[in-house]
Amino acid sequence: LFNYDTRARDINNFGQIVGHSWLSDSAEDAQAVLWDNSSTAINLNTMIDGALGWNLMYAYGINDMGQITGYGMLE
C-alpha cells in the first residue's frame, strides 16, 4: 500500500491504531491511515466521499468510539 515510510501516532483500548504513511519522500504525499486489528494499513481517504475534495494526510488520535482527529487539506 505505502512504500516510503509509516508512523503510528495513537492507539485506543480496542487496538485500533492511527497514523500516517508517505508514498514518497514528499510531505505532500502523506496519507492518514488506520490499522483496525490487522497488519494492513487502511488509507482513511477510502473511507470518505471523494467528491467532498478532502485529502486526509495525518491522523493523530483515536478514541474508543473510533473518532479520529487529524489533518487534511481541502483541494
Side-chain angles (χ1 to χ4, degrees):
L1 180 59
F2 301 101
N3 58 8
Y4 187 73
D5 192 14
T6 301
R7 305 233 174 125
R9 301 294 296 204
D10 195 24
I11 185 170
N12 67 13
N13 288 317
F14 297 102
Q16 296 172 305
I17 301 167
V18 293
H20 45 274
S21 290
W22 290 271
L23 303 172
S24 71
D25 65 352
S26 171
E28 295 174 2
D29 284 339
Q31 299 292 293
V33 295
L34 165 71
W35 293 268
D36 190 14
N37 299 314
S38 76
S39 60
T40 303
I42 301 166
N43 185 333
L44 290 175
N45 288 289
T46 66
M47 300 178 77
I48 62 170
D49 183 352
L52 296 174
W54 281 98
N55 179 23
L56 305 178
M57 299 173 71
Y58 298 95
Y60 294 120
I62 184 167
N63 66 19
D64 288 342
M65 293 177 19
Q67 297 169 319
I68 298 169
T69 62
Y71 171 84
M73 293 184 68
L74 187 57
E75 298 180 342

